[in-house]
Amino acid sequence: MSILNEYGVLRNRIDSHSDRVLAAWEQHFACAEGCSGCCQRDLSVFAIEAHGIRAWLREHPPGLRAPSPTGVSSALPVLEEPAGPGCAMLDSVGRCGVYPVRPLICRSHGLPLAVPSEGGGLRGDVCPLNFDGGAALAELPSGDFLSVETVDTVLAALDLRFSEEQGLPPGERFRLEELWDEAAS
């Protein structure tokens, strides 16, 4: 299996986890299309993720945005320049212009996460808009938390292999804003 296919398997596993948790706990999620509070201005991604985003932007050049994740197809005007505190990939109403190929970190935003705690062990974390600001996380079984360490470890290993295969420096990061500027020029 190619490295890009392995990355696709990881992405699909995260999406399946997300779909399952969202369906089970829908009443605890405030996340909706256009909610971009988690979208960070200076987000950077590994080379393996940048590869997919670049390819998407080549197929969907600046000037038109991707269909919304709900499948409603419409041409959305893009921002002339990234503006405000949000991600460079957001359109003027806060929708992700690279949603089908969004980075893994974006796929996990809003979900209950298992993150390392000080002194060892793990603690639950979530977007402050979800699960009553995190207070309702105690209701969740451990299998509903996405392990940040596991995702990061697998992603880093795939990226290392991808970078070696492509002759890139290991661990090189690419800012989403730079990918946007590349595509817009």
Side-chain angles (χ1 to χ4, degrees):
M1 180 183 301
S2 79
I3 297 166
L4 291 175
N5 286 343
E6 289 181 54
Y7 171 76
V9 168
L10 175 62
R11 184 184 62 223
N12 291 341
R13 291 185 74 184
I14 291 170
D15 287 348
S16 293
H17 173 86
S18 176
D19 292 345
R20 182 182 59 74
V21 171
L22 284 168
W25 301 98
E26 183 178 1
Q27 72 279 14
H28 289 286
F29 282 93
C31 301
E33 184 177 347
C35 178
S36 58
C38 294
C39 302
Q40 301 170 16
R41 175 94 174 144
D42 289 325
L43 184 66
S44 65
V45 296
F46 282 119
I48 195 167
E49 292 184 295
H51 175 81
I53 293 168
R54 279 187 180 111
W56 174 265
L57 288 171
R58 277 192 302 274
E59 292 176 24
H60 304 87
L64 296 178
R65 282 290 183 171
S68 73
T70 58
V72 176
S73 182
S74 62
L76 302 171
V78 294
L79 302 172
E80 291 299 318
E81 293 180 23
C87 175
M89 300 297 171
L90 294 176
D91 69 15
S92 59
V93 294
R95 289 181 292 207
C96 180
V98 294
Y99 191 83
V101 294
R102 69 197 181 284
L104 297 185
I105 189 170
C106 300
R107 292 171 187 276
S108 67
H109 276 317
L111 292 175
L113 302 173
V115 297
S117 64
E118 293 181 23
L122 297 173
R123 66 176 175 81
D125 195 15
V126 71
C127 169
L129 300 176
N130 296 337
F131 290 90
D132 299 321
L137 288 178
E139 298 175 32
L140 273 71
S142 61
D144 287 353
F145 288 85
L146 183 64
S147 169
V148 172
E149 279 187 315
T150 300
V151 171
D152 287 350
T153 300
V154 174
L155 177 58
L158 289 172
D159 183 69
L160 178 62
R161 289 176 44 219
F162 178 81
S163 294
E164 288 171 352
E165 188 178 88
Q166 299 295 313
L168 299 170
E172 185 175 12
R173 309 263 320 167
F174 299 85
R175 292 181 55 237
L176 289 181
E177 188 169 1
E178 291 169 356
L179 297 176
W180 171 256
D181 289 345
E182 250 178 55
S185 59

mmCIF file of all heavy atoms in Angstrom, residues 97-124:
data_model
loop_
_atom_site.group_PDB
_atom_site.id
_atom_site.type_symbol
_atom_site.label_atom_id
_atom_site.label_comp_id
_atom_site.label_asym_id
_atom_site.label_seq_id
_atom_site.Cartn_x
_atom_site.Cartn_y
_atom_site.Cartn_z
ATOM 1 N N GLY A 97 -12.606 25.933 2.636
ATOM 2 C CA GLY A 97 -12.475 25.783 1.191
ATOM 3 C C GLY A 97 -11.742 24.535 0.758
ATOM 4 O O GLY A 97 -11.702 24.225 -0.421
ATOM 5 N N VAL A 98 -11.157 23.814 1.713
ATOM 6 C CA VAL A 98 -10.468 22.561 1.394
ATOM 7 C C VAL A 98 -11.041 21.426 2.252
ATOM 8 O O VAL A 98 -10.348 20.475 2.577
ATOM 9 C CB VAL A 98 -8.929 22.690 1.582
ATOM 10 C CG1 VAL A 98 -8.337 23.658 0.566
ATOM 11 C CG2 VAL A 98 -8.564 23.090 2.994
ATOM 12 N N TYR A 99 -12.313 21.526 2.582
ATOM 13 C CA TYR A 99 -12.947 20.602 3.524
ATOM 14 C C TYR A 99 -12.671 19.122 3.228
ATOM 15 O O TYR A 99 -12.303 18.382 4.133
ATOM 16 C CB TYR A 99 -14.453 20.865 3.587
ATOM 17 C CG TYR A 99 -15.130 20.135 4.710
ATOM 18 C CD1 TYR A 99 -15.137 20.661 5.997
ATOM 19 C CD2 TYR A 99 -15.753 18.908 4.497
ATOM 20 C CE1 TYR A 99 -15.745 19.987 7.040
ATOM 21 C CE2 TYR A 99 -16.365 18.235 5.531
ATOM 22 C CZ TYR A 99 -16.357 18.775 6.807
ATOM 23 O OH TYR A 99 -16.951 18.111 7.836
ATOM 24 N N PRO A 100 -12.812 18.659 1.996
ATOM 25 C CA PRO A 100 -12.559 17.230 1.754
ATOM 26 C C PRO A 100 -11.123 16.794 2.038
ATOM 27 O O PRO A 100 -10.881 15.619 2.297
ATOM 28 C CB PRO A 100 -12.893 17.049 0.266
ATOM 29 C CG PRO A 100 -13.805 18.185 -0.049
ATOM 30 C CD PRO A 100 -13.329 19.328 0.804
ATOM 31 N N VAL A 101 -10.173 17.725 1.988
ATOM 32 C CA VAL A 101 -8.763 17.386 2.213
ATOM 33 C C VAL A 101 -8.193 18.130 3.423
ATOM 34 O O VAL A 101 -6.977 18.242 3.569
ATOM 35 C CB VAL A 101 -7.902 17.658 0.954
ATOM 36 C CG1 VAL A 101 -8.306 16.726 -0.180
ATOM 37 C CG2 VAL A 101 -7.976 19.121 0.532
ATOM 38 N N ARG A 102 -9.060 18.606 4.284
ATOM 39 C CA ARG A 102 -8.599 19.366 5.458
ATOM 40 C C ARG A 102 -7.647 18.502 6.286
ATOM 41 O O ARG A 102 -7.761 17.283 6.303
ATOM 42 C CB ARG A 102 -9.775 19.858 6.287
ATOM 43 C CG ARG A 102 -10.552 18.765 6.999
ATOM 44 C CD ARG A 102 -11.917 19.273 7.444
ATOM 45 N NE ARG A 102 -12.681 18.262 8.158
ATOM 46 C CZ ARG A 102 -13.303 17.242 7.611
ATOM 47 N NH1 ARG A 102 -13.249 17.056 6.298
ATOM 48 N NH2 ARG A 102 -13.980 16.390 8.359
ATOM 49 N N PRO A 103 -6.716 19.160 6.966
ATOM 50 C CA PRO A 103 -5.729 18.419 7.766
ATOM 51 C C PRO A 103 -6.391 17.607 8.891
ATOM 52 O O PRO A 103 -7.518 17.884 9.305
ATOM 53 C CB PRO A 103 -4.855 19.522 8.352
ATOM 54 C CG PRO A 103 -5.076 20.713 7.486
ATOM 55 C CD PRO A 103 -6.479 20.594 6.968
ATOM 56 N N LEU A 104 -5.640 16.647 9.403
ATOM 57 C CA LEU A 104 -6.168 15.798 10.476
ATOM 58 C C LEU A 104 -6.530 16.607 11.709
ATOM 59 O O LEU A 104 -7.530 16.313 12.365
ATOM 60 C CB LEU A 104 -5.153 14.708 10.833
ATOM 61 C CG LEU A 104 -4.827 13.706 9.726
ATOM 62 C CD1 LEU A 104 -3.912 12.612 10.263
ATOM 63 C CD2 LEU A 104 -6.067 13.118 9.098
ATOM 64 N N ILE A 105 -5.746 17.633 12.032
ATOM 65 C CA ILE A 105 -6.063 18.428 13.210
ATOM 66 C C ILE A 105 -7.434 19.093 13.053
ATOM 67 O O ILE A 105 -8.191 19.207 14.012
ATOM 68 C CB ILE A 105 -4.960 19.470 13.530
ATOM 69 C CG1 ILE A 105 -5.225 20.111 14.881
ATOM 70 C CG2 ILE A 105 -4.843 20.502 12.423
ATOM 71 C CD1 ILE A 105 -4.083 20.957 15.404
ATOM 72 N N CYS A 106 -7.754 19.499 11.844
ATOM 73 C CA CYS A 106 -9.056 20.121 11.594
ATOM 74 C C CYS A 106 -10.178 19.089 11.701
ATOM 75 O O CYS A 106 -11.289 19.411 12.131
ATOM 76 C CB CYS A 106 -9.068 20.775 10.219
ATOM 77 S SG CYS A 106 -7.815 22.053 10.018
ATOM 78 N N ARG A 107 -9.898 17.867 11.319
ATOM 79 C CA ARG A 107 -10.898 16.799 11.405
ATOM 80 C C ARG A 107 -11.220 16.448 12.857
ATOM 81 O O ARG A 107 -12.270 15.910 13.146
ATOM 82 C CB ARG A 107 -10.408 15.554 10.666
ATOM 83 C CG ARG A 107 -10.341 15.748 9.178
ATOM 84 C CD ARG A 107 -9.643 14.600 8.461
ATOM 85 N NE ARG A 107 -9.480 14.945 7.076
ATOM 86 C CZ ARG A 107 -10.413 14.785 6.134
ATOM 87 N NH1 ARG A 107 -11.562 14.235 6.443
ATOM 88 N NH2 ARG A 107 -10.178 15.163 4.902
ATOM 89 N N SER A 108 -10.294 16.751 13.750
ATOM 90 C CA SER A 108 -10.499 16.389 15.159
ATOM 91 C C SER A 108 -11.026 17.549 16.005
ATOM 92 O O SER A 108 -11.420 17.343 17.140
ATOM 93 C CB SER A 108 -9.191 15.865 15.763
ATOM 94 O OG SER A 108 -8.225 16.897 15.832
ATOM 95 N N HIS A 109 -11.042 18.765 15.457
ATOM 96 C CA HIS A 109 -11.541 19.909 16.233
ATOM 97 C C HIS A 109 -12.974 19.659 16.678
ATOM 98 O O HIS A 109 -13.799 19.180 15.927
ATOM 99 C CB HIS A 109 -11.493 21.197 15.416
ATOM 100 C CG HIS A 109 -10.162 21.871 15.443
ATOM 101 N ND1 HIS A 109 -9.405 22.010 16.576
ATOM 102 C CD2 HIS A 109 -9.461 22.462 14.465
ATOM 103 C CE1 HIS A 109 -8.296 22.650 16.287
ATOM 104 N NE2 HIS A 109 -8.295 22.920 15.007
ATOM 105 N N GLY A 110 -13.232 19.984 17.911
ATOM 106 C CA GLY A 110 -14.568 19.840 18.475
ATOM 107 C C GLY A 110 -14.817 18.494 19.120
ATOM 108 O O GLY A 110 -15.675 18.363 19.982
ATOM 109 N N LEU A 111 -14.082 17.479 18.694
ATOM 110 C CA LEU A 111 -14.273 16.136 19.248
ATOM 111 C C LEU A 111 -13.694 16.032 20.654
ATOM 112 O O LEU A 111 -12.759 16.751 20.997
ATOM 113 C CB LEU A 111 -13.566 15.098 18.370
ATOM 114 C CG LEU A 111 -14.119 14.864 16.987
ATOM 115 C CD1 LEU A 111 -13.208 13.894 16.226
ATOM 116 C CD2 LEU A 111 -15.527 14.324 17.052
ATOM 117 N N PRO A 112 -14.207 15.100 21.442
ATOM 118 C CA PRO A 112 -13.558 14.803 22.722
ATOM 119 C C PRO A 112 -12.176 14.204 22.448
ATOM 120 O O PRO A 112 -12.054 13.244 21.693
ATOM 121 C CB PRO A 112 -14.480 13.775 23.379
ATOM 122 C CG PRO A 112 -15.755 13.834 22.617
ATOM 123 C CD PRO A 112 -15.425 14.329 21.250
ATOM 124 N N LEU A 113 -11.160 14.802 23.035
ATOM 125 C CA LEU A 113 -9.786 14.373 22.807
ATOM 126 C C LEU A 113 -9.154 13.868 24.093
ATOM 127 O O LEU A 113 -9.403 14.418 25.163
ATOM 128 C CB LEU A 113 -8.951 15.542 22.282
ATOM 129 C CG LEU A 113 -9.419 16.202 20.994
ATOM 130 C CD1 LEU A 113 -8.582 17.447 20.701
ATOM 131 C CD2 LEU A 113 -9.375 15.233 19.828
ATOM 132 N N ALA A 114 -8.326 12.844 23.973
ATOM 133 C CA ALA A 114 -7.486 12.382 25.076
ATOM 134 C C ALA A 114 -6.128 13.021 24.849
ATOM 135 O O ALA A 114 -5.468 12.747 23.844
ATOM 136 C CB ALA A 114 -7.377 10.865 25.083
ATOM 137 N N VAL A 115 -5.747 13.922 25.750
ATOM 138 C CA VAL A 115 -4.482 14.648 25.616
ATOM 139 C C VAL A 115 -3.606 14.358 26.837
ATOM 140 O O VAL A 115 -4.119 14.110 27.931
ATOM 141 C CB VAL A 115 -4.711 16.170 25.455
ATOM 142 C CG1 VAL A 115 -5.485 16.469 24.187
ATOM 143 C CG2 VAL A 115 -5.427 16.746 26.649
ATOM 144 N N PRO A 116 -2.292 14.402 26.643
ATOM 145 C CA PRO A 116 -1.389 14.156 27.783
ATOM 146 C C PRO A 116 -1.611 15.196 28.881
ATOM 147 O O PRO A 116 -1.820 16.379 28.595
ATOM 148 C CB PRO A 116 0.008 14.292 27.182
ATOM 149 C CG PRO A 116 -0.174 14.137 25.715
ATOM 150 C CD PRO A 116 -1.551 14.635 25.406
ATOM 151 N N SER A 117 -1.596 14.744 30.107
ATOM 152 C CA SER A 117 -1.737 15.671 31.235
ATOM 153 C C SER A 117 -0.384 15.843 31.916
ATOM 154 O O SER A 117 0.510 15.014 31.769
ATOM 155 C CB SER A 117 -2.774 15.161 32.231
ATOM 156 O OG SER A 117 -2.356 13.952 32.801
ATOM 157 N N GLU A 118 -0.246 16.934 32.635
ATOM 158 C CA GLU A 118 0.991 17.162 33.383
ATOM 159 C C GLU A 118 1.130 16.054 34.412
ATOM 160 O O GLU A 118 0.173 15.659 35.054
ATOM 161 C CB GLU A 118 0.943 18.527 34.069
ATOM 162 C CG GLU A 118 0.965 19.679 33.094
ATOM 163 C CD GLU A 118 0.933 21.030 33.791
ATOM 164 O OE1 GLU A 118 1.320 21.114 34.966
ATOM 165 O OE2 GLU A 118 0.505 21.989 33.123
ATOM 166 N N GLY A 119 2.321 15.551 34.562
ATOM 167 C CA GLY A 119 2.555 14.479 35.515
ATOM 168 C C GLY A 119 2.236 13.106 34.971
ATOM 169 O O GLY A 119 2.222 12.123 35.704
ATOM 170 N N GLY A 120 1.956 13.009 33.677
ATOM 171 C CA GLY A 120 1.668 11.711 33.071
ATOM 172 C C GLY A 120 0.179 11.449 32.991
ATOM 173 O O GLY A 120 -0.642 12.171 33.546
ATOM 174 N N GLY A 121 -0.170 10.441 32.276
ATOM 175 C CA GLY A 121 -1.568 10.093 32.095
ATOM 176 C C GLY A 121 -2.229 10.938 31.018
ATOM 177 O O GLY A 121 -1.577 11.688 30.294
ATOM 178 N N LEU A 122 -3.528 10.783 30.919
ATOM 179 C CA LEU A 122 -4.311 11.496 29.916
ATOM 180 C C LEU A 122 -5.457 12.230 30.596
ATOM 181 O O LEU A 122 -5.923 11.829 31.654
ATOM 182 C CB LEU A 122 -4.881 10.514 28.890
ATOM 183 C CG LEU A 122 -3.883 9.730 28.052
ATOM 184 C CD1 LEU A 122 -4.607 8.679 27.216
ATOM 185 C CD2 LEU A 122 -3.086 10.656 27.147
ATOM 186 N N ARG A 123 -5.919 13.283 29.945
ATOM 187 C CA ARG A 123 -7.108 14.002 30.403
ATOM 188 C C ARG A 123 -7.985 14.267 29.193
ATOM 189 O O ARG A 123 -7.514 14.313 28.058
ATOM 190 C CB ARG A 123 -6.734 15.298 31.098
ATOM 191 C CG ARG A 123 -6.097 16.330 30.205
ATOM 192 C CD ARG A 123 -5.833 17.659 30.932
ATOM 193 N NE ARG A 123 -5.117 18.573 30.070
ATOM 194 C CZ ARG A 123 -5.681 19.325 29.127
ATOM 195 N NH1 ARG A 123 -6.977 19.271 28.938
ATOM 196 N NH2 ARG A 123 -4.948 20.122 28.370
ATOM 197 N N GLY A 124 -9.257 14.445 29.428
ATOM 198 C CA GLY A 124 -10.188 14.755 28.355
ATOM 199 C C GLY A 124 -10.190 16.244 28.064
ATOM 200 O O GLY A 124 -10.079 17.067 28.974
#
